[in-house]
Amino acid sequence: MMKLLKTVLILVSMHFTTQINAAESTKVLVDHDKEIPTIHVTTPTHTARFIEPNDIEEIDRLCRASYPEGLPDDSSKWAANLIDRRNNKNYYNCLVVSKADQIVAALGLGRMPALNYDPAFTDIIDTWLDFGVVKKKDLTGGYEKDNFERCDNAGIAFILPIIPTGLESSDKDEIIKMGTDVVKFFKDQDFLLPLENTSPHYVITLLSPNDILGKNFTNIDFLRLEKEGFLKFYDDNPRDMFYKVL
């Protein structure tokens, strides 16, 4: 079915629509006529589009209403960087999510580096080895940076959720699922991750153990990974990883 759909999309050449999960009705429309990446995402209850310059104040408002740890220190600069990424024709920028025509959340999309970690961060390196996105050049060698290489073109997509704590839990689930479905759609369409131009094999987020949003990630089948190495990496601000295979 997907092969047939892709064939039709190529023939049409201008626009395409795809329904990622028929049961959940997540739909993504990409407008190929636009000079910069432009999408429209719909679920039964929410819509999303890419970030625009007039969203910067909204991003700041959303950050102030969300659990703060892990969010950008300068939300305006962060939003401007994501706008630049979009203008540079990368699909992994920022989804601005609405419900009933009101902006309710934002999801920063990007990549998690898998190479060039200091040898001290063995927990993190071992995680990427377990994921199968990197491998040792010399199996008998240690954790030096130059002893690792990428497996095929495997990458790790990252979602930064800016979701106000006051939203209903069901809305949080729907927003996270929407973002995950979009990343899966990007992978299926061969839209590559920024900077390293890799294909996402996993999608992850990193949250404080005290952030109740972690429960919403597990609600939509993300797995939780707790490792001491993520504590040291973030200067004694612990992070739990939530991950999903794409």
Side-chain angles (χ1 to χ4, degrees):
M1 182 65 183
M2 279 302 299
K3 288 182 179 178
L4 176 60
L5 179 59
K6 287 181 179 178
T7 302
V8 172
L9 296 178
I10 292 170
L11 292 173
V12 172
S13 80
M14 287 297 185
H15 300 279
F16 60 81
T17 328
T18 187
Q19 191 164 303
I20 299 169
N21 186 328
E24 299 298 333
S25 300
T26 301
K27 298 180 182 179
V28 181
L29 172 68
V30 176
D31 190 341
H32 289 295
D33 289 340
K34 301 293 186 183
E35 287 189 25
I36 59 174
T38 301
I39 68 170
H40 304 279
V41 188
T42 59
T43 75
T45 56
H46 292 76
T47 62
R49 56 171 173 76
F50 279 148
I51 191 170
E52 297 174 355
N54 58 6
D55 293 320
I56 290 179
E57 289 187 9
E58 285 292 326
I59 297 293
D60 181 60
R61 176 185 66 81
L62 294 170
C63 283
R64 285 186 277 107
S66 304
Y67 189 86
E69 193 167 313
L71 296 187
D73 293 329
D74 187 335
S75 61
S76 296
K77 182 177 180 181
W78 178 86
N81 286 338
L82 273 290
I83 292 168
D84 286 345
R85 189 183 296 173
R86 181 189 175 194
N87 290 339
N88 287 326
K89 304 188 183 217
N90 198 292
Y91 282 87
Y92 297 86
N93 52 80
C94 178
L95 291 173
V96 176
V97 183
S98 296
K99 182 178 183 181
D101 296 323
Q102 297 292 319
I103 294 175
V104 295
L107 299 171
L109 306 180
R111 57 103 196 192
M112 184 73 179
L115 291 170
N116 296 315
Y117 284 86
D118 187 280
F121 299 115
T122 55
D123 269 352
I124 297 175
I125 298 169
D126 283 340
T127 300
W128 308 148
L129 286 167
D130 291 342
F131 279 11
V133 296
V134 300
K135 61 185 177 182
K136 283 187 172 184
K137 297 176 184 177
D138 177 2
L139 294 179
T140 64
Y143 284 83
E144 293 77 16
K145 292 180 183 180
D146 60 2
N147 194 35
F148 292 90
E149 62 186 354
R150 193 175 298 278
C151 296
D152 298 322
N153 199 37
I156 305 167
F158 186 88
I159 293 178
L160 177 68
I162 305 177
I163 302 176
T165 56
L167 291 186
E168 293 290 334
S169 185
S170 58
D171 286 332
K172 295 176 182 178
D173 290 352
E174 183 83 358
I175 291 166
I176 296 167
K177 183 184 182 303
M178 171 192 278
T180 306
D181 285 346
V182 169
V183 173
K184 177 65 165 63
F185 172 82
F186 288 173
K187 178 186 178 180
D188 292 343
Q189 298 300 319
D190 295 324
F191 296 163
L192 300 179
L193 291 165
L195 298 177
E196 60 193 28
N197 293 320
T198 54
S199 176
H201 285 205
Y202 286 78
V203 58
I204 73 165
T205 195
L206 293 167
L207 300 175
S208 164
N210 298 320
D211 191 343
I212 60 173
L213 198 60
K215 182 177 185 304
N216 299 100
F217 275 88
T218 59
N219 285 347
I220 63 161
D221 300 325
F222 274 71
L223 298 176
R224 185 175 197 148
L225 181 65
E226 302 171 72
K227 280 192 173 185
E228 184 180 350
F230 289 102
L231 167 65
K232 296 176 182 176
F233 190 76
Y234 288 96
D235 298 324
D236 295 327
N237 293 309
R239 297 284 193 274
D240 288 342
M241 178 193 290
F242 296 82
Y243 69 96
K244 192 170 189 176
V245 182
L246 292 173

